[in-house]
mmCIF file with all atom_site columns, all heavy atoms in Angstrom:
data_model
loop_
_atom_site.group_PDB
_atom_site.id
_atom_site.type_symbol
_atom_site.label_atom_id
_atom_site.label_alt_id
_atom_site.label_comp_id
_atom_site.label_asym_id
_atom_site.label_entity_id
_atom_site.label_seq_id
_atom_site.pdbx_PDB_ins_code
_atom_site.Cartn_x
_atom_site.Cartn_y
_atom_site.Cartn_z
_atom_site.occupancy
_atom_site.B_iso_or_equiv
_atom_site.pdbx_formal_charge
_atom_site.auth_seq_id
_atom_site.auth_comp_id
_atom_site.auth_asym_id
_atom_site.auth_atom_id
_atom_site.pdbx_PDB_model_num
ATOM 1   N N   . ALA A 1 1  ? 0.835   -1.207  0.000   1.00 0.00 ? 190 ALA A N   1
ATOM 2   C CA  . ALA A 1 1  ? 0.000   0.000   0.000   1.00 0.00 ? 190 ALA A CA  1
ATOM 3   C C   . ALA A 1 1  ? 0.868   1.256   0.000   1.00 0.00 ? 190 ALA A C   1
ATOM 4   O O   . ALA A 1 1  ? 0.562   2.238   -0.685  1.00 0.00 ? 190 ALA A O   1
ATOM 5   C CB  . ALA A 1 1  ? -0.934  -0.010  1.214   1.00 0.00 ? 190 ALA A CB  1
ATOM 6   N N   . ASN A 1 2  ? 1.968   1.231   0.775   1.00 0.00 ? 191 ASN A N   1
ATOM 7   C CA  . ASN A 1 2  ? 2.869   2.391   0.771   1.00 0.00 ? 191 ASN A CA  1
ATOM 8   C C   . ASN A 1 2  ? 3.498   2.597   -0.613  1.00 0.00 ? 191 ASN A C   1
ATOM 9   O O   . ASN A 1 2  ? 3.597   3.731   -1.098  1.00 0.00 ? 191 ASN A O   1
ATOM 10  C CB  . ASN A 1 2  ? 3.979   2.205   1.813   1.00 0.00 ? 191 ASN A CB  1
ATOM 11  C CG  . ASN A 1 2  ? 3.498   2.520   3.216   1.00 0.00 ? 191 ASN A CG  1
ATOM 12  O OD1 . ASN A 1 2  ? 2.469   3.160   3.388   1.00 0.00 ? 191 ASN A OD1 1
ATOM 13  N ND2 . ASN A 1 2  ? 4.225   2.062   4.225   1.00 0.00 ? 191 ASN A ND2 1
ATOM 14  N N   . GLN A 1 3  ? 3.935   1.500   -1.237  1.00 0.00 ? 192 GLN A N   1
ATOM 15  C CA  . GLN A 1 3  ? 4.553   1.619   -2.562  1.00 0.00 ? 192 GLN A CA  1
ATOM 16  C C   . GLN A 1 3  ? 3.569   2.215   -3.575  1.00 0.00 ? 192 GLN A C   1
ATOM 17  O O   . GLN A 1 3  ? 3.908   3.116   -4.339  1.00 0.00 ? 192 GLN A O   1
ATOM 18  C CB  . GLN A 1 3  ? 5.039   0.247   -3.041  1.00 0.00 ? 192 GLN A CB  1
ATOM 19  C CG  . GLN A 1 3  ? 6.264   -0.235  -2.282  1.00 0.00 ? 192 GLN A CG  1
ATOM 20  C CD  . GLN A 1 3  ? 6.722   -1.600  -2.781  1.00 0.00 ? 192 GLN A CD  1
ATOM 21  O OE1 . GLN A 1 3  ? 5.923   -2.520  -2.908  1.00 0.00 ? 192 GLN A OE1 1
ATOM 22  N NE2 . GLN A 1 3  ? 8.004   -1.733  -3.051  1.00 0.00 ? 192 GLN A NE2 1
ATOM 23  N N   . LEU A 1 4  ? 2.344   1.721   -3.542  1.00 0.00 ? 193 LEU A N   1
ATOM 24  C CA  . LEU A 1 4  ? 1.328   2.222   -4.469  1.00 0.00 ? 193 LEU A CA  1
ATOM 25  C C   . LEU A 1 4  ? 1.010   3.692   -4.162  1.00 0.00 ? 193 LEU A C   1
ATOM 26  O O   . LEU A 1 4  ? 0.812   4.499   -5.075  1.00 0.00 ? 193 LEU A O   1
ATOM 27  C CB  . LEU A 1 4  ? 0.066   1.354   -4.376  1.00 0.00 ? 193 LEU A CB  1
ATOM 28  C CG  . LEU A 1 4  ? -1.100  1.728   -5.294  1.00 0.00 ? 193 LEU A CG  1
ATOM 29  C CD1 . LEU A 1 4  ? -0.689  1.817   -6.757  1.00 0.00 ? 193 LEU A CD1 1
ATOM 30  C CD2 . LEU A 1 4  ? -2.251  0.720   -5.135  1.00 0.00 ? 193 LEU A CD2 1
ATOM 31  N N   . ALA A 1 5  ? 1.011   4.057   -2.870  1.00 0.00 ? 194 ALA A N   1
ATOM 32  C CA  . ALA A 1 5  ? 0.745   5.453   -2.485  1.00 0.00 ? 194 ALA A CA  1
ATOM 33  C C   . ALA A 1 5  ? 1.845   6.377   -3.020  1.00 0.00 ? 194 ALA A C   1
ATOM 34  O O   . ALA A 1 5  ? 1.567   7.455   -3.559  1.00 0.00 ? 194 ALA A O   1
ATOM 35  C CB  . ALA A 1 5  ? 0.632   5.566   -0.965  1.00 0.00 ? 194 ALA A CB  1
ATOM 36  N N   . HIS A 1 6  ? 3.116   5.948   -2.875  1.00 0.00 ? 195 HIS A N   1
ATOM 37  C CA  . HIS A 1 6  ? 4.231   6.762   -3.420  1.00 0.00 ? 195 HIS A CA  1
ATOM 38  C C   . HIS A 1 6  ? 4.106   6.880   -4.939  1.00 0.00 ? 195 HIS A C   1
ATOM 39  O O   . HIS A 1 6  ? 4.365   7.939   -5.515  1.00 0.00 ? 195 HIS A O   1
ATOM 40  C CB  . HIS A 1 6  ? 5.583   6.134   -3.045  1.00 0.00 ? 195 HIS A CB  1
ATOM 41  C CG  . HIS A 1 6  ? 6.004   6.422   -1.631  1.00 0.00 ? 195 HIS A CG  1
ATOM 42  N ND1 . HIS A 1 6  ? 6.457   7.667   -1.230  1.00 0.00 ? 195 HIS A ND1 1
ATOM 43  C CD2 . HIS A 1 6  ? 6.020   5.645   -0.524  1.00 0.00 ? 195 HIS A CD2 1
ATOM 44  C CE1 . HIS A 1 6  ? 6.754   7.631   0.071   1.00 0.00 ? 195 HIS A CE1 1
ATOM 45  N NE2 . HIS A 1 6  ? 6.490   6.413   0.515   1.00 0.00 ? 195 HIS A NE2 1
ATOM 46  N N   . TYR A 1 7  ? 3.714   5.799   -5.569  1.00 0.00 ? 196 TYR A N   1
ATOM 47  C CA  . TYR A 1 7  ? 3.530   5.781   -7.031  1.00 0.00 ? 196 TYR A CA  1
ATOM 48  C C   . TYR A 1 7  ? 2.436   6.777   -7.440  1.00 0.00 ? 196 TYR A C   1
ATOM 49  O O   . TYR A 1 7  ? 2.578   7.538   -8.393  1.00 0.00 ? 196 TYR A O   1
ATOM 50  C CB  . TYR A 1 7  ? 3.159   4.350   -7.444  1.00 0.00 ? 196 TYR A CB  1
ATOM 51  C CG  . TYR A 1 7  ? 3.077   4.090   -8.932  1.00 0.00 ? 196 TYR A CG  1
ATOM 52  C CD1 . TYR A 1 7  ? 4.226   3.974   -9.703  1.00 0.00 ? 196 TYR A CD1 1
ATOM 53  C CD2 . TYR A 1 7  ? 1.837   3.931   -9.551  1.00 0.00 ? 196 TYR A CD2 1
ATOM 54  C CE1 . TYR A 1 7  ? 4.145   3.711   -11.072 1.00 0.00 ? 196 TYR A CE1 1
ATOM 55  C CE2 . TYR A 1 7  ? 1.751   3.671   -10.920 1.00 0.00 ? 196 TYR A CE2 1
ATOM 56  C CZ  . TYR A 1 7  ? 2.902   3.564   -11.673 1.00 0.00 ? 196 TYR A CZ  1
ATOM 57  O OH  . TYR A 1 7  ? 2.826   3.300   -13.031 1.00 0.00 ? 196 TYR A OH  1
ATOM 58  N N   . LEU A 1 8  ? 1.339   6.794   -6.661  1.00 0.00 ? 197 LEU A N   1
ATOM 59  C CA  . LEU A 1 8  ? 0.239   7.733   -6.941  1.00 0.00 ? 197 LEU A CA  1
ATOM 60  C C   . LEU A 1 8  ? 0.694   9.179   -6.727  1.00 0.00 ? 197 LEU A C   1
ATOM 61  O O   . LEU A 1 8  ? 0.312   10.081  -7.467  1.00 0.00 ? 197 LEU A O   1
ATOM 62  C CB  . LEU A 1 8  ? -0.977  7.431   -6.050  1.00 0.00 ? 197 LEU A CB  1
ATOM 63  C CG  . LEU A 1 8  ? -1.729  6.128   -6.347  1.00 0.00 ? 197 LEU A CG  1
ATOM 64  C CD1 . LEU A 1 8  ? -2.786  5.861   -5.268  1.00 0.00 ? 197 LEU A CD1 1
ATOM 65  C CD2 . LEU A 1 8  ? -2.395  6.169   -7.718  1.00 0.00 ? 197 LEU A CD2 1
ATOM 66  N N   . ARG A 1 9  ? 1.536   9.376   -5.696  1.00 0.00 ? 198 ARG A N   1
ATOM 67  C CA  . ARG A 1 9  ? 2.023   10.738  -5.442  1.00 0.00 ? 198 ARG A CA  1
ATOM 68  C C   . ARG A 1 9  ? 2.869   11.226  -6.624  1.00 0.00 ? 198 ARG A C   1
ATOM 69  O O   . ARG A 1 9  ? 2.760   12.377  -7.036  1.00 0.00 ? 198 ARG A O   1
ATOM 70  C CB  . ARG A 1 9  ? 2.828   10.777  -4.138  1.00 0.00 ? 198 ARG A CB  1
ATOM 71  C CG  . ARG A 1 9  ? 3.339   12.185  -3.820  1.00 0.00 ? 198 ARG A CG  1
ATOM 72  C CD  . ARG A 1 9  ? 4.012   12.269  -2.483  1.00 0.00 ? 198 ARG A CD  1
ATOM 73  N NE  . ARG A 1 9  ? 3.040   12.405  -1.400  1.00 0.00 ? 198 ARG A NE  1
ATOM 74  C CZ  . ARG A 1 9  ? 3.371   12.443  -0.113  1.00 0.00 ? 198 ARG A CZ  1
ATOM 75  N NH1 . ARG A 1 9  ? 4.639   12.345  0.244   1.00 0.00 ? 198 ARG A NH1 1
ATOM 76  N NH2 . ARG A 1 9  ? 2.443   12.577  0.814   1.00 0.00 ? 198 ARG A NH2 1
ATOM 77  N N   . LYS A 1 10 ? 3.702   10.324  -7.164  1.00 0.00 ? 199 LYS A N   1
ATOM 78  C CA  . LYS A 1 10 ? 4.522   10.685  -8.343  1.00 0.00 ? 199 LYS A CA  1
ATOM 79  C C   . LYS A 1 10 ? 3.632   11.083  -9.516  1.00 0.00 ? 199 LYS A C   1
ATOM 80  O O   . LYS A 1 10 ? 3.994   11.910  -10.345 1.00 0.00 ? 199 LYS A O   1
ATOM 81  C CB  . LYS A 1 10 ? 5.393   9.501   -8.758  1.00 0.00 ? 199 LYS A CB  1
ATOM 82  C CG  . LYS A 1 10 ? 6.697   9.370   -7.995  1.00 0.00 ? 199 LYS A CG  1
ATOM 83  C CD  . LYS A 1 10 ? 7.777   8.727   -8.885  1.00 0.00 ? 199 LYS A CD  1
ATOM 84  C CE  . LYS A 1 10 ? 9.102   8.624   -8.149  1.00 0.00 ? 199 LYS A CE  1
ATOM 85  N NZ  . LYS A 1 10 ? 9.240   7.334   -7.431  1.00 0.00 ? 199 LYS A NZ  1
ATOM 86  N N   . LEU A 1 11 ? 2.445   10.468  -9.594  1.00 0.00 ? 200 LEU A N   1
ATOM 87  C CA  . LEU A 1 11 ? 1.508   10.807  -10.675 1.00 0.00 ? 200 LEU A CA  1
ATOM 88  C C   . LEU A 1 11 ? 0.714   12.081  -10.355 1.00 0.00 ? 200 LEU A C   1
ATOM 89  O O   . LEU A 1 11 ? -0.165  12.475  -11.121 1.00 0.00 ? 200 LEU A O   1
ATOM 90  C CB  . LEU A 1 11 ? 0.536   9.640   -10.905 1.00 0.00 ? 200 LEU A CB  1
ATOM 91  C CG  . LEU A 1 11 ? 1.147   8.374   -11.516 1.00 0.00 ? 200 LEU A CG  1
ATOM 92  C CD1 . LEU A 1 11 ? 0.124   7.245   -11.518 1.00 0.00 ? 200 LEU A CD1 1
ATOM 93  C CD2 . LEU A 1 11 ? 1.643   8.621   -12.932 1.00 0.00 ? 200 LEU A CD2 1
ATOM 94  N N   . GLY A 1 12 ? 1.013   12.671  -9.182  1.00 0.00 ? 201 GLY A N   1
ATOM 95  C CA  . GLY A 1 12 ? 0.420   13.978  -8.876  1.00 0.00 ? 201 GLY A CA  1
ATOM 96  C C   . GLY A 1 12 ? -0.830  13.960  -8.024  1.00 0.00 ? 201 GLY A C   1
ATOM 97  O O   . GLY A 1 12 ? -1.520  14.977  -7.918  1.00 0.00 ? 201 GLY A O   1
ATOM 98  N N   . VAL A 1 13 ? -1.165  12.813  -7.399  1.00 0.00 ? 202 VAL A N   1
ATOM 99  C CA  . VAL A 1 13 ? -2.377  12.778  -6.557  1.00 0.00 ? 202 VAL A CA  1
ATOM 100 C C   . VAL A 1 13 ? -2.154  13.598  -5.290  1.00 0.00 ? 202 VAL A C   1
ATOM 101 O O   . VAL A 1 13 ? -1.166  13.415  -4.576  1.00 0.00 ? 202 VAL A O   1
ATOM 102 C CB  . VAL A 1 13 ? -2.770  11.326  -6.185  1.00 0.00 ? 202 VAL A CB  1
ATOM 103 C CG1 . VAL A 1 13 ? -3.975  11.316  -5.254  1.00 0.00 ? 202 VAL A CG1 1
ATOM 104 C CG2 . VAL A 1 13 ? -3.079  10.524  -7.442  1.00 0.00 ? 202 VAL A CG2 1
ATOM 105 N N   . LYS A 1 14 ? -3.078  14.521  -5.028  1.00 0.00 ? 203 LYS A N   1
ATOM 106 C CA  . LYS A 1 14 ? -2.971  15.423  -3.870  1.00 0.00 ? 203 LYS A CA  1
ATOM 107 C C   . LYS A 1 14 ? -4.137  15.163  -2.906  1.00 0.00 ? 203 LYS A C   1
ATOM 108 O O   . LYS A 1 14 ? -5.113  14.522  -3.280  1.00 0.00 ? 203 LYS A O   1
ATOM 109 C CB  . LYS A 1 14 ? -3.040  16.881  -4.347  1.00 0.00 ? 203 LYS A CB  1
ATOM 110 C CG  . LYS A 1 14 ? -1.901  17.281  -5.283  1.00 0.00 ? 203 LYS A CG  1
ATOM 111 C CD  . LYS A 1 14 ? -2.059  18.737  -5.723  1.00 0.00 ? 203 LYS A CD  1
ATOM 112 C CE  . LYS A 1 14 ? -0.937  19.154  -6.658  1.00 0.00 ? 203 LYS A CE  1
ATOM 113 N NZ  . LYS A 1 14 ? -0.977  18.440  -7.950  1.00 0.00 ? 203 LYS A NZ  1
ATOM 114 N N   . PRO A 1 15 ? -4.048  15.718  -1.677  1.00 0.00 ? 204 PRO A N   1
ATOM 115 C CA  . PRO A 1 15 ? -5.162  15.553  -0.742  1.00 0.00 ? 204 PRO A CA  1
ATOM 116 C C   . PRO A 1 15 ? -6.489  16.004  -1.344  1.00 0.00 ? 204 PRO A C   1
ATOM 117 O O   . PRO A 1 15 ? -6.536  16.995  -2.081  1.00 0.00 ? 204 PRO A O   1
ATOM 118 C CB  . PRO A 1 15 ? -4.761  16.441  0.446   1.00 0.00 ? 204 PRO A CB  1
ATOM 119 C CG  . PRO A 1 15 ? -3.269  16.390  0.434   1.00 0.00 ? 204 PRO A CG  1
ATOM 120 C CD  . PRO A 1 15 ? -2.886  16.350  -1.016  1.00 0.00 ? 204 PRO A CD  1
ATOM 121 N N   . ASP A 1 16 ? -7.529  15.246  -1.035  1.00 0.00 ? 205 ASP A N   1
ATOM 122 C CA  . ASP A 1 16 ? -8.906  15.509  -1.504  1.00 0.00 ? 205 ASP A CA  1
ATOM 123 C C   . ASP A 1 16 ? -9.113  15.229  -2.993  1.00 0.00 ? 205 ASP A C   1
ATOM 124 O O   . ASP A 1 16 ? -10.207 15.436  -3.512  1.00 0.00 ? 205 ASP A O   1
ATOM 125 C CB  . ASP A 1 16 ? -9.364  16.942  -1.196  1.00 0.00 ? 205 ASP A CB  1
ATOM 126 C CG  . ASP A 1 16 ? -9.660  17.139  0.282   1.00 0.00 ? 205 ASP A CG  1
ATOM 127 O OD1 . ASP A 1 16 ? -9.769  16.130  0.997   1.00 0.00 ? 205 ASP A OD1 1
ATOM 128 O OD2 . ASP A 1 16 ? -9.776  18.297  0.719   1.00 0.00 ? 205 ASP A OD2 1
ATOM 129 N N   . GLU A 1 17 ? -8.074  14.752  -3.668  1.00 0.00 ? 206 GLU A N   1
ATOM 130 C CA  . GLU A 1 17 ? -8.265  14.422  -5.093  1.00 0.00 ? 206 GLU A CA  1
ATOM 131 C C   . GLU A 1 17 ? -8.957  13.065  -5.205  1.00 0.00 ? 206 GLU A C   1
ATOM 132 O O   . GLU A 1 17 ? -8.645  12.129  -4.467  1.00 0.00 ? 206 GLU A O   1
ATOM 133 C CB  . GLU A 1 17 ? -6.913  14.381  -5.817  1.00 0.00 ? 206 GLU A CB  1
ATOM 134 C CG  . GLU A 1 17 ? -7.090  14.226  -7.305  1.00 0.00 ? 206 GLU A CG  1
ATOM 135 C CD  . GLU A 1 17 ? -5.798  14.481  -8.070  1.00 0.00 ? 206 GLU A CD  1
ATOM 136 O OE1 . GLU A 1 17 ? -5.004  15.338  -7.651  1.00 0.00 ? 206 GLU A OE1 1
ATOM 137 O OE2 . GLU A 1 17 ? -5.586  13.791  -9.073  1.00 0.00 ? 206 GLU A OE2 1
ATOM 138 N N   . LEU A 1 18 ? -9.901  12.968  -6.139  1.00 0.00 ? 207 LEU A N   1
ATOM 139 C CA  . LEU A 1 18 ? -10.652 11.731  -6.299  1.00 0.00 ? 207 LEU A CA  1
ATOM 140 C C   . LEU A 1 18 ? -9.893  10.752  -7.198  1.00 0.00 ? 207 LEU A C   1
ATOM 141 O O   . LEU A 1 18 ? -9.371  11.128  -8.246  1.00 0.00 ? 207 LEU A O   1
ATOM 142 C CB  . LEU A 1 18 ? -12.030 12.025  -6.901  1.00 0.00 ? 207 LEU A CB  1
ATOM 143 C CG  . LEU A 1 18 ? -12.896 13.019  -6.128  1.00 0.00 ? 207 LEU A CG  1
ATOM 144 C CD1 . LEU A 1 18 ? -14.261 13.187  -6.803  1.00 0.00 ? 207 LEU A CD1 1
ATOM 145 C CD2 . LEU A 1 18 ? -13.086 12.576  -4.680  1.00 0.00 ? 207 LEU A CD2 1
ATOM 146 N N   . VAL A 1 19 ? -9.843  9.487   -6.758  1.00 0.00 ? 208 VAL A N   1
ATOM 147 C CA  . VAL A 1 19 ? -9.179  8.415   -7.524  1.00 0.00 ? 208 VAL A CA  1
ATOM 148 C C   . VAL A 1 19 ? -10.179 7.267   -7.661  1.00 0.00 ? 208 VAL A C   1
ATOM 149 O O   . VAL A 1 19 ? -10.732 6.793   -6.659  1.00 0.00 ? 208 VAL A O   1
ATOM 150 C CB  . VAL A 1 19 ? -7.902  7.921   -6.797  1.00 0.00 ? 208 VAL A CB  1
ATOM 151 C CG1 . VAL A 1 19 ? -7.248  6.786   -7.578  1.00 0.00 ? 208 VAL A CG1 1
ATOM 152 C CG2 . VAL A 1 19 ? -6.919  9.073   -6.584  1.00 0.00 ? 208 VAL A CG2 1
ATOM 153 N N   . GLY A 1 20 ? -10.410 6.820   -8.893  1.00 0.00 ? 209 GLY A N   1
ATOM 154 C CA  . GLY A 1 20 ? -11.342 5.719   -9.118  1.00 0.00 ? 209 GLY A CA  1
ATOM 155 C C   . GLY A 1 20 ? -10.737 4.379   -8.733  1.00 0.00 ? 209 GLY A C   1
ATOM 156 O O   . GLY A 1 20 ? -9.518  4.184   -8.844  1.00 0.00 ? 209 GLY A O   1
ATOM 157 N N   . ILE A 1 21 ? -11.560 3.456   -8.267  1.00 0.00 ? 210 ILE A N   1
ATOM 158 C CA  . ILE A 1 21 ? -11.088 2.089   -8.017  1.00 0.00 ? 210 ILE A CA  1
ATOM 159 C C   . ILE A 1 21 ? -12.174 1.122   -8.482  1.00 0.00 ? 210 ILE A C   1
ATOM 160 O O   . ILE A 1 21 ? -13.314 1.179   -8.026  1.00 0.00 ? 210 ILE A O   1
ATOM 161 C CB  . ILE A 1 21 ? -10.675 1.871   -6.529  1.00 0.00 ? 210 ILE A CB  1
ATOM 162 C CG1 . ILE A 1 21 ? -10.187 0.423   -6.307  1.00 0.00 ? 210 ILE A CG1 1
ATOM 163 C CG2 . ILE A 1 21 ? -11.774 2.256   -5.549  1.00 0.00 ? 210 ILE A CG2 1
ATOM 164 C CD1 . ILE A 1 21 ? -9.392  0.236   -5.026  1.00 0.00 ? 210 ILE A CD1 1
ATOM 165 N N   . CYS A 1 22 ? -11.814 0.295   -9.464  1.00 0.00 ? 211 CYS A N   1
ATOM 166 C CA  . CYS A 1 22 ? -12.767 -0.649  -10.052 1.00 0.00 ? 211 CYS A CA  1
ATOM 167 C C   . CYS A 1 22 ? -12.162 -2.046  -9.931  1.00 0.00 ? 211 CYS A C   1
ATOM 168 O O   . CYS A 1 22 ? -11.404 -2.491  -10.798 1.00 0.00 ? 211 CYS A O   1
ATOM 169 C CB  . CYS A 1 22 ? -13.009 -0.270  -11.516 1.00 0.00 ? 211 CYS A CB  1
ATOM 170 S SG  . CYS A 1 22 ? -14.190 -1.357  -12.339 1.00 0.00 ? 211 CYS A SG  1
ATOM 171 N N   . LEU A 1 23 ? -12.448 -2.713  -8.820  1.00 0.00 ? 212 LEU A N   1
ATOM 172 C CA  . LEU A 1 23 ? -11.889 -4.040  -8.537  1.00 0.00 ? 212 LEU A CA  1
ATOM 173 C C   . LEU A 1 23 ? -12.924 -4.889  -7.829  1.00 0.00 ? 212 LEU A C   1
ATOM 174 O O   . LEU A 1 23 ? -13.779 -4.380  -7.102  1.00 0.00 ? 212 LEU A O   1
ATOM 175 C CB  . LEU A 1 23 ? -10.654 -3.921  -7.626  1.00 0.00 ? 212 LEU A CB  1
ATOM 176 C CG  . LEU A 1 23 ? -9.368  -3.359  -8.246  1.00 0.00 ? 212 LEU A CG  1
ATOM 177 C CD1 . LEU A 1 23 ? -8.375  -2.984  -7.169  1.00 0.00 ? 212 LEU A CD1 1
ATOM 178 C CD2 . LEU A 1 23 ? -8.735  -4.375  -9.196  1.00 0.00 ? 212 LEU A CD2 1
ATOM 179 N N   . GLU A 1 24 ? -12.846 -6.193  -8.050  1.00 0.00 ? 213 GLU A N   1
ATOM 180 C CA  . GLU A 1 24 ? -13.679 -7.121  -7.278  1.00 0.00 ? 213 GLU A CA  1
ATOM 181 C C   . GLU A 1 24 ? -13.135 -7.154  -5.848  1.00 0.00 ? 213 GLU A C   1
ATOM 182 O O   . GLU A 1 24 ? -11.998 -6.757  -5.592  1.00 0.00 ? 213 GLU A O   1
ATOM 183 C CB  . GLU A 1 24 ? -13.581 -8.544  -7.869  1.00 0.00 ? 213 GLU A CB  1
ATOM 184 C CG  . GLU A 1 24 ? -14.055 -8.667  -9.307  1.00 0.00 ? 213 GLU A CG  1
ATOM 185 C CD  . GLU A 1 24 ? -15.570 -8.633  -9.444  1.00 0.00 ? 213 GLU A CD  1
ATOM 186 O OE1 . GLU A 1 24 ? -16.264 -8.483  -8.417  1.00 0.00 ? 213 GLU A OE1 1
ATOM 187 O OE2 . GLU A 1 24 ? -16.045 -8.745  -10.591 1.00 0.00 ? 213 GLU A OE2 1
ATOM 188 N N   . ARG A 1 25 ? -13.932 -7.674  -4.911  1.00 0.00 ? 214 ARG A N   1
ATOM 189 C CA  . ARG A 1 25 ? -13.470 -7.814  -3.533  1.00 0.00 ? 214 ARG A CA  1
ATOM 190 C C   . ARG A 1 25 ? -12.252 -8.724  -3.509  1.00 0.00 ? 214 ARG A C   1
ATOM 191 O O   . ARG A 1 25 ? -12.316 -9.863  -3.953  1.00 0.00 ? 214 ARG A O   1
ATOM 192 C CB  . ARG A 1 25 ? -14.593 -8.391  -2.668  1.00 0.00 ? 214 ARG A CB  1
ATOM 193 C CG  . ARG A 1 25 ? -15.753 -7.425  -2.520  1.00 0.00 ? 214 ARG A CG  1
ATOM 194 C CD  . ARG A 1 25 ? -16.946 -8.001  -1.780  1.00 0.00 ? 214 ARG A CD  1
ATOM 195 N NE  . ARG A 1 25 ? -17.396 -9.245  -2.365  1.00 0.00 ? 214 ARG A NE  1
ATOM 196 C CZ  . ARG A 1 25 ? -17.307 -10.424 -1.776  1.00 0.00 ? 214 ARG A CZ  1
ATOM 197 N NH1 . ARG A 1 25 ? -16.801 -10.533 -0.580  1.00 0.00 ? 214 ARG A NH1 1
ATOM 198 N NH2 . ARG A 1 25 ? -17.738 -11.509 -2.379  1.00 0.00 ? 214 ARG A NH2 1
ATOM 199 N N   . SER A 1 26 ? -11.126 -8.198  -3.029  1.00 0.00 ? 215 SER A N   1
ATOM 200 C CA  . SER A 1 26 ? -9.863  -8.946  -3.061  1.00 0.00 ? 215 SER A CA  1
ATOM 201 C C   . SER A 1 26 ? -8.830  -8.227  -2.204  1.00 0.00 ? 215 SER A C   1
ATOM 202 O O   . SER A 1 26 ? -9.053  -7.097  -1.759  1.00 0.00 ? 215 SER A O   1
ATOM 203 C CB  . SER A 1 26 ? -9.333  -9.004  -4.502  1.00 0.00 ? 215 SER A CB  1
ATOM 204 O OG  . SER A 1 26 ? -9.127  -7.677  -4.978  1.00 0.00 ? 215 SER A OG  1
ATOM 205 N N   . LEU A 1 27 ? -7.669  -8.872  -2.043  1.00 0.00 ? 216 LEU A N   1
ATOM 206 C CA  . LEU A 1 27 ? -6.563  -8.239  -1.324  1.00 0.00 ? 216 LEU A CA  1
ATOM 207 C C   . LEU A 1 27 ? -6.109  -6.981  -2.079  1.00 0.00 ? 216 LEU A C   1
ATOM 208 O O   . LEU A 1 27 ? -5.844  -5.939  -1.466  1.00 0.00 ? 216 LEU A O   1
ATOM 209 C CB  . LEU A 1 27 ? -5.402  -9.234  -1.181  1.00 0.00 ? 216 LEU A CB  1
ATOM 210 C CG  . LEU A 1 27 ? -4.200  -8.733  -0.378  1.00 0.00 ? 216 LEU A CG  1
ATOM 211 C CD1 . LEU A 1 27 ? -4.596  -8.368  1.040   1.00 0.00 ? 216 LEU A CD1 1
ATOM 212 C CD2 . LEU A 1 27 ? -3.097  -9.779  -0.364  1.00 0.00 ? 216 LEU A CD2 1
ATOM 213 N N   . ASP A 1 28 ? -6.044  -7.071  -3.407  1.00 0.00 ? 217 ASP A N   1
ATOM 214 C CA  . ASP A 1 28 ? -5.644  -5.902  -4.206  1.00 0.00 ? 217 ASP A CA  1
ATOM 215 C C   . ASP A 1 28 ? -6.571  -4.714  -3.958  1.00 0.00 ? 217 ASP A C   1
ATOM 216 O O   . ASP A 1 28 ? -6.136  -3.563  -3.937  1.00 0.00 ? 217 ASP A O   1
ATOM 217 C CB  . ASP A 1 28 ? -5.673  -6.230  -5.708  1.00 0.00 ? 217 ASP A CB  1
ATOM 218 C CG  . ASP A 1 28 ? -4.372  -6.888  -6.166  1.00 0.00 ? 217 ASP A CG  1
ATOM 219 O OD1 . ASP A 1 28 ? -3.426  -6.947  -5.356  1.00 0.00 ? 217 ASP A OD1 1
ATOM 220 O OD2 . ASP A 1 28 ? -4.296  -7.316  -7.337  1.00 0.00 ? 217 ASP A OD2 1
#
């Protein structure tokens, strides 16, 4: 989760920015 968060930050995600998530119920 930390690695993915750093990756998202590099892509410019800031506080309060909306990010879509389209996944079945899973660990991912």
Side-chain angles (χ1 to χ4, degrees):
N191 281 343
Q192 288 180 311
L193 181 54
H195 281 287
Y196 187 75
L197 291 172
R198 181 174 278 177
K199 276 210 178 91
L200 291 173
V202 177
K203 298 179 180 66
D205 287 346
E206 187 168 325
L207 303 182
V208 178
I210 180 163
C211 181
L212 288 166
E213 299 285 2
R214 293 175 306 112
S215 59
L216 183 60
D217 275 352

